[in-house]
Coordinates of all heavy atoms in Angstrom, one line a residue:
L57 N -34.9 19.7 32.0 CA -35.0 21.1 31.5 C -34.3 22.0 32.5 O -33.7 23.0 32.1 CB -36.5 21.5 31.4 CG -37.3 20.8 30.3 CD1 -38.7 21.2 30.3 CD2 -36.7 21.1 28.9
D58 N -34.5 21.8 33.8 CA -33.9 22.6 34.8 C -32.3 22.5 34.7 O -31.6 23.5 34.8 CB -34.3 22.2 36.2 CG -35.8 22.6 36.5 OD1 -36.3 23.4 35.7 OD2 -36.4 22.0 37.4
A59 N -31.8 21.3 34.5 CA -30.4 21.1 34.4 C -29.9 21.8 33.1 O -28.8 22.3 33.2 CB -30.1 19.6 34.4
A60 N -30.6 21.7 32.0 CA -30.2 22.4 30.8 C -30.1 23.9 31.0 O -29.2 24.6 30.5 CB -31.1 22.0 29.7
W61 N -31.1 24.5 31.7 CA -31.1 25.9 32.0 C -29.9 26.3 32.8 O -29.3 27.4 32.6 CB -32.4 26.3 32.6 CG -32.5 27.8 33.0 CD1 -32.8 28.3 34.2 CD2 -32.4 28.9 32.2 NE1 -32.8 29.6 34.2 CE2 -32.6 30.1 33.0 CE3 -32.1 29.1 30.8 CZ2 -32.5 31.3 32.4 CZ3 -32.0 30.4 30.3 CH2 -32.2 31.5 31.1
V62 N -29.6 25.5 33.9 CA -28.5 25.8 34.7 C -27.2 25.7 33.9 O -26.3 26.6 34.0 CB -28.4 24.8 35.9 CG1 -27.1 24.9 36.6 CG2 -29.6 25.0 36.9
T63 N -27.0 24.7 33.0 CA -25.8 24.6 32.2 C -25.7 25.7 31.3 O -24.6 26.2 31.1 CB -25.9 23.3 31.4 OG1 -26.1 22.2 32.3 CG2 -24.7 23.1 30.6
L64 N -26.8 26.2 30.7 CA -26.7 27.3 29.8 C -26.3 28.6 30.5 O -25.4 29.4 30.0 CB -28.1 27.5 29.1 CG -28.1 28.6 28.0 CD1 -27.2 28.2 26.8 CD2 -29.6 28.7 27.5
R65 N -26.8 28.9 31.6 CA -26.4 30.1 32.4 C -25.0 30.0 32.8 O -24.3 31.0 32.7 CB -27.4 30.2 33.6 CG -28.8 30.7 33.3 CD -29.5 31.1 34.6 NE -29.8 29.9 35.4 CZ -30.2 29.9 36.6 NH1 -30.4 31.1 37.2 NH2 -30.4 28.8 37.3
V66 N -24.6 28.9 33.4 CA -23.2 28.7 33.8 C -22.2 28.9 32.6 O -21.2 29.6 32.7 CB -23.0 27.4 34.5 CG1 -21.5 27.1 34.7 CG2 -23.7 27.3 35.8
G67 N -22.6 28.3 31.5 CA -21.7 28.4 30.3 C -21.6 29.8 29.8 O -20.5 30.2 29.5
I68 N -22.7 30.5 29.7 CA -22.6 31.9 29.2 C -21.8 32.8 30.1 O -21.0 33.6 29.7 CB -24.0 32.5 29.0 CG1 -24.7 31.7 27.8 CG2 -24.0 34.0 28.7 CD1 -26.2 32.1 27.6
M69 N -22.1 32.7 31.4 CA -21.4 33.5 32.4 C -20.0 33.2 32.5 O -19.1 34.1 32.5 CB -22.1 33.4 33.8 CG -23.5 34.1 33.9 SD -24.2 34.2 35.5 CE -24.3 32.4 35.9
S70 N -19.6 31.9 32.6 CA -18.2 31.6 32.8 C -17.4 31.8 31.5 O -16.3 32.3 31.6 CB -18.1 30.1 33.1 OG -18.6 29.3 32.1
A71 N -18.0 31.7 30.3 CA -17.3 32.0 29.1 C -17.1 33.5 29.0 O -16.0 33.9 28.5 CB -18.1 31.5 27.9
T72 N -18.1 34.3 29.4 CA -17.9 35.7 29.3 C -16.8 36.2 30.3 O -15.9 37.0 29.9 CB -19.2 36.4 29.6 OG1 -20.2 36.0 28.7 CG2 -19.1 37.9 29.5
F73 N -16.9 35.8 31.5 CA -15.9 36.2 32.5 C -14.5 35.6 32.1 O -13.5 36.3 32.3 CB -16.3 35.7 33.9 CG -17.5 36.4 34.4 CD1 -18.4 35.7 35.2 CD2 -17.9 37.7 34.1 CE1 -19.6 36.2 35.7 CE2 -19.0 38.3 34.6 CZ -19.9 37.5 35.4
G74 N -14.5 34.4 31.7 CA -13.2 33.8 31.3 C -12.6 34.5 30.1 O -11.4 34.6 30.0
T75 N -13.4 34.9 29.2 CA -12.9 35.7 28.0 C -12.3 37.0 28.4 O -11.3 37.4 27.9 CB -14.0 35.9 27.0 OG1 -14.5 34.6 26.6 CG2 -13.5 36.6 25.8
I76 N -13.0 37.7 29.3 CA -12.5 39.0 29.8 C -11.1 38.8 30.5 O -10.1 39.5 30.2 CB -13.5 39.7 30.7 CG1 -14.8 40.0 29.9 CG2 -12.9 40.9 31.3 CD1 -15.9 40.6 30.8
L77 N -11.1 37.9 31.4 CA -9.9 37.7 32.2 C -8.8 37.1 31.3 O -7.6 37.5 31.5 CB -10.2 36.7 33.4 CG -11.1 37.3 34.5 CD1 -11.4 36.2 35.5 CD2 -10.5 38.5 35.1
G78 N -9.1 36.1 30.4 CA -8.1 35.6 29.5 C -7.5 36.6 28.6 O -6.3 36.6 28.3
T79 N -8.3 37.5 28.1 CA -7.8 38.5 27.2 C -6.9 39.5 27.9 O -5.8 39.9 27.4 CB -9.0 39.3 26.6 OG1 -9.9 38.4 25.9 CG2 -8.5 40.4 25.6
L80 N -7.3 39.8 29.1 CA -6.4 40.7 29.9 C -5.1 40.0 30.3 O -4.0 40.6 30.2 CB -7.1 41.1 31.2 CG -8.3 42.0 31.1 CD1 -9.0 42.3 32.4 CD2 -7.9 43.4 30.4
A81 N -5.1 38.7 30.6 CA -3.9 38.0 30.9 C -3.0 37.9 29.6 O -1.8 38.0 29.7 CB -4.3 36.6 31.3
A82 N -3.6 37.7 28.5 CA -2.8 37.6 27.2 C -2.2 39.0 26.9 O -1.0 39.0 26.5 CB -3.7 37.2 26.1
L83 N -2.9 40.1 27.1 CA -2.4 41.4 26.9 C -1.2 41.6 27.9 O -0.2 42.2 27.5 CB -3.4 42.5 27.1 CG -4.5 42.6 26.0 CD1 -5.6 43.5 26.5 CD2 -3.8 43.2 24.8
T84 N -1.3 41.2 29.1 CA -0.3 41.4 30.1 C 1.0 40.6 29.7 O 2.1 41.1 29.8 CB -0.7 40.9 31.5 OG1 -1.9 41.7 31.9 CG2 0.4 41.1 32.5
L85 N 0.8 39.4 29.2 CA 2.0 38.6 28.9 C 2.7 39.0 27.6 O 3.9 38.9 27.5 CB 1.6 37.1 28.7 CG 1.1 36.4 30.0 CD1 0.5 35.0 29.7 CD2 2.3 36.2 31.0
V86 N 1.9 39.6 26.7 CA 2.5 40.0 25.4 C 3.0 41.4 25.5 O 4.1 41.7 25.0 CB 1.5 39.9 24.3 CG1 2.0 40.5 23.0 CG2 1.1 38.4 24.1
R87 N 2.3 42.4 26.1 CA 2.6 43.8 26.0 C 3.6 44.2 27.1 O 4.3 45.2 26.9 CB 1.4 44.6 26.1 CG 0.4 44.4 24.9 CD 1.1 44.8 23.6 NE 0.3 44.4 22.4 CZ -0.7 45.2 22.0 NH1 -1.1 46.3 22.6 NH2 -1.4 44.8 20.9
F88 N 3.7 43.6 28.2 CA 4.5 44.1 29.3 C 5.8 43.5 29.4 O 6.6 43.8 30.3 CB 3.7 43.9 30.6 CG 2.5 44.8 30.8 CD1 1.3 44.5 30.4 CD2 2.7 46.1 31.3 CE1 0.2 45.3 30.5 CE2 1.6 47.0 31.5 CZ 0.4 46.6 31.0
G89 N 6.2 42.6 28.5 CA 7.5 42.0 28.4 C 7.8 41.3 29.7 O 7.0 40.6 30.3
R90 N 9.1 41.4 30.1 CA 9.6 40.8 31.4 C 9.3 41.7 32.5 O 9.9 42.8 32.6 CB 11.0 40.4 31.3 CG 11.3 39.3 30.2 CD 12.7 38.8 30.3 NE 13.0 37.8 29.3 CZ 12.7 36.5 29.6 NH1 12.2 36.1 30.7 NH2 12.9 35.6 28.7
F91 N 8.5 41.3 33.5 CA 8.2 42.1 34.7 C 8.4 41.2 35.9 O 8.3 39.9 35.8 CB 6.8 42.7 34.6 CG 5.7 41.7 34.4 CD1 5.1 41.0 35.5 CD2 5.3 41.3 33.1 CE1 4.1 40.1 35.3 CE2 4.3 40.4 32.9 CZ 3.7 39.8 34.0
P92 N 8.6 41.8 37.1 CA 8.8 40.9 38.3 C 7.5 40.1 38.5 O 6.4 40.5 38.5 CB 8.9 42.0 39.4 CG 9.4 43.2 38.7 CD 8.8 43.2 37.3
G93 N 7.8 38.8 38.7 CA 6.7 37.8 38.9 C 6.0 37.3 37.6 O 5.0 36.7 37.7
R94 N 6.7 37.6 36.5 CA 6.1 37.1 35.2 C 6.0 35.6 35.2 O 5.0 35.0 34.7 CB 6.9 37.6 34.0 CG 6.4 37.0 32.7 CD 7.3 37.4 31.5 NE 7.0 36.7 30.3 CZ 6.1 37.2 29.4 NH1 5.4 38.3 29.6 NH2 5.8 36.5 28.3
M95 N 7.1 34.9 35.6 CA 7.1 33.4 35.6 C 5.9 32.9 36.5 O 5.2 31.9 36.1 CB 8.4 32.9 36.1 CG 8.6 31.4 36.0 SD 8.7 30.9 34.3 CE 10.3 31.6 33.8
L96 N 5.8 33.5 37.7 CA 4.7 33.0 38.5 C 3.3 33.3 37.9 O 2.4 32.5 38.0 CB 4.8 33.7 39.9 CG 3.7 33.4 40.9 CD1 3.7 31.9 41.3 CD2 3.9 34.2 42.2
F97 N 3.2 34.5 37.3 CA 1.9 34.8 36.7 C 1.5 33.9 35.6 O 0.4 33.4 35.5 CB 2.0 36.3 36.2 CG 0.7 36.8 35.6 CD1 -0.4 37.1 36.3 CD2 0.6 36.9 34.2 CE1 -1.6 37.5 35.7 CE2 -0.5 37.3 33.5 CZ -1.6 37.7 34.3
S98 N 2.5 33.7 34.7 CA 2.2 32.8 33.5 C 1.9 31.4 34.0 O 1.1 30.6 33.4 CB 3.4 32.8 32.6 OG 4.6 32.3 33.2
G99 N 2.6 30.9 35.1 CA 2.4 29.6 35.6 C 1.0 29.5 36.2 O 0.3 28.4 36.0

Side-chain angles (χ1 to χ4, degrees):
L57 293 178
D58 292 340
W61 176 236
V62 169
T63 302
L64 186 61
R65 286 191 292 169
V66 170
I68 292 175
M69 289 189 295
S70 63
T72 302
F73 295 145
T75 300
I76 295 173
L77 295 176
T79 302
L80 293 176
L83 284 169
T84 302
L85 292 172
V86 174
R87 296 297 174 82
F88 289 90
R90 295 189 176 276
F91 56 88
R94 176 186 171 87
M95 185 68 68
L96 177 61
F97 179 76
S98 61

